Amino acid sequence: MGQITWHGHACTEIRTGDGTRLLIDPFLTDNPMADVGPEHFTDELDHLLLTHGHFDHVGDAWEILRETGAQLIATFEIVAYAGDHEGVENAHPLHIGGGYQFPFGRAQLTPALHGGQVAGENAGPYSTFPAGFLLELNDGTTIYHAGDTALIKDMELLEGRVDVALLPIGDNFTMGPADAVRAVEMIDPDTVVPIHYDTMEVIEQDPEGWARDVGDRAEVVVLEPGGSHDY
Ligand code: NI
Ligand code: MN
């Protein structure tokens, strides 16, 4: 089957059961939690997914995309910025609620309630809606990466569809631990991995305590940066 590796903050690497290598939100160089740098991702990378345009998600994306030739999957506005100003030609734009059948499976953008700035030296006029990703992989597993978001009722629409959910628990910039437990109730995934915490002081949390709060609602997998979950 496949493997999910957390590189700190929201950065998540997925090796699908059919050998496709996906990377979501590669905030590495300036991320004190990151276990690897952008050089870790060489020409093996197939797709790079961005949930939104904030610096702690775009991170090293432009460099990795230029180095690897991997395909960018993101909102129309992020893809437009990447093409106009960052030399990224291989890209597939999506928008909220829309999905597309890629070689590895279907990727759909889900709503997220958050900020829309795009980080980049020439990003002045570019903004976007933030999103999450619902990845219905050909290997039979469905993964939901929520991106940065508040708790939103829209999560109920995912109920019963998600095998593994990656949910922010950091509070301050996204939903915090209590709302993330409510998200688990609404989505009802088999497995949940907490993300977007401990990177900076204002989002310090206790993931083990959160796992106890989730209780038997789902299997909670608390990863160290660089740690993996096999599914
Ligand atoms: Ni953000
Ligand atoms: Mn963030």
Side-chain angles (χ1 to χ4, degrees), residues 41-202:
F41 301 94
T42 56
D43 53 5
E44 290 173 68
L45 188 64
D46 297 298
H47 301 272
L48 192 153
L49 288 63
L50 293 178
T51 62
H52 64 296
H54 284 164
F55 76 95
D56 59 317
H57 297 257
V58 171
D60 302 285
W62 312 140
E63 177 190 338
I64 292 171
L65 286 163
R66 285 191 295 258
E67 290 290 318
T68 64
Q71 185 183 52
L72 171 64
I73 304 174
T75 60
F76 175 85
E77 293 84 2
I78 290 175
V79 166
Y81 172 74
D84 290 346
H85 292 290
E86 300 291 349
V88 176
E89 299 301 330
N90 184 13
H92 186 108
L94 294 172
H95 232 303
I96 311 293
Y100 181 80
Q101 192 70 35
F102 292 89
F104 61 85
R106 179 179 163 85
Q108 181 175 357
L109 284 189
T110 61
L113 190 58
H114 189 66
Q117 186 182 32
V118 174
E121 285 185 17
N122 299 295
Y126 292 85
S127 64
T128 191
F129 279 98
F133 279 101
L134 185 68
L135 303 172
E136 298 175 292
L137 302 174
N138 289 343
D139 63 23
T141 299
T142 296
I143 298 173
Y144 170 55
H145 187 296
D148 280 4
T149 184
L151 178 70
I152 50 174
K153 287 275 282 182
D154 307 57
M155 290 172 178
E156 289 179 351
L157 298 172
L158 299 173
E159 183 183 358
R161 296 182 62 190
V162 177
D163 297 302
V164 184
L166 296 126
L167 301 180
I169 67 162
D171 217 349
N172 197 84
F173 297 117
T174 66
M175 60 184 174
D179 279 351
V181 171
R182 296 187 69 190
V184 173
E185 280 178 358
M186 290 160 67
I187 301 163
D188 193 24
D190 294 335
T191 301
V192 60
V193 181
I195 61 173
H196 211 278
Y197 65 91
D198 282 4
T199 320
M200 56 202 88
E201 200 174 329
V202 293

Side-chain angles (χ1 to χ4, degrees), residues 6 9 32-33 170 196-201 203-207:
W6 185 55
H9 207 57
M33 295 278 284
H196 211 278
Y197 65 91
D198 282 4
T199 320
M200 56 202 88
E201 200 174 329
I203 61 171
E204 283 181 3
Q205 298 296 342
D206 170 17

